[in-house]
Amino acid sequence: MELQFWGVRGSIPVPGSETLKIGGNTTCVSIQHNGYTLVFDAGSGIRNLGKHLEANSHASSGGCIFLSHYHWDHIQGLPFFTPAFRAENRFHLFGERKKGVDLHAILAEQMQTPYFPVPMDAQEGLVTFNEIRPGETLDIHAGMTIHSIRLNHPSGAVGFRIECADGSVCIITDHEHSDDGIDAPIVEFAKNADILIHEAPYEPEETRGPRKGWGHSSWEEAALTAKAANVKTLFLSHHDHERSDDEIFQRLDKARQVFEATEIATETTSRTLTRAV
Ligand SMILES: [Zn+2]
Ligand SMILES: [Zn+2]
């Protein structure tokens, strides 16, 4: 199982000299297992994933694209995901219905005129659009299971846990924990995962004060969740677009005092999971 980050910022892409180490693209993570690709969120980082897939697949490619929700930082890269424009490719999309509107209609809207010159119909490699209900479990591909959970975020989001023989990866973005501390259902969902990817755009005092109700977590809440869930490795991600690389890396020592096996997710971060069976 190969995990690769392609975009690790929240809200808006932030290219520039202060974001070169972590990268400025918005949220996208891929997991590859036995030649099959799972993608989690289609922020601007999915553009580079598309280039990677085109460079490394000799014939057609395909897989599943899971969308946590439809804020722009999670879907804005899809119109630039070049494998989607090839009819020989087969990508299956998964996302929630919102206010009676289905996944296909929601995604097609951002490519309608006058917002974009090419309609989503041209993306012939996007072959099915599947509704996901938080809490359900899907058997996607041989030996791969996806669990889902409701996240607390404006208009709602979905968290995912991927299980296969090589290990488990849990992705929690975007989510605000309750006032009482970290949320027990999230801890339970992430229990004993090999990798927890948890969003962490804010400082602890921000989630208690000016950013309360914005639907996000602090690095401290992410670390406390990782500790309580007994995961092996925590990646902080969905970094605040207003903070430089240096400011984000300054959090690492503090987060490691709460949970030692903490890392900062960057656009060049990857991990290989293997487990003898
Ligand atoms: Zn977001
Ligand atoms: Zn969001």
Side-chain angles (χ1 to χ4, degrees), residues 9-11 27 68-69 71 73-74 153 173-174 199 216 238:
R9 297 273 173 181
S11 303
T27 305
S68 62
H69 63 305
H71 288 158
D73 49 325
H74 300 257
H153 193 63
T173 191
D174 300 5
E199 68 136 47
H216 293 291
H238 199 274

Side-chain angles (χ1 to χ4, degrees), residues 62-111:
C64 296
I65 301 173
F66 291 86
L67 299 170
S68 62
H69 63 305
Y70 308 115
H71 288 158
W72 273 341
D73 49 325
H74 300 257
I75 62 168
Q76 66 196 164
L78 198 59
F80 298 91
F81 182 56
T82 49
F85 288 93
R86 299 192 193 284
E88 67 270 27
N89 291 340
R90 301 192 64 77
F91 286 93
H92 304 274
L93 285 98
F94 292 81
E96 270 193 286
R97 178 181 287 263
K98 295 285 186 188
K99 290 188 173 176
V101 182
D102 68 24
L103 170 62
H104 184 279
I106 291 168
L107 294 178
E109 194 169 7
Q110 73 166 341
M111 294 178 74

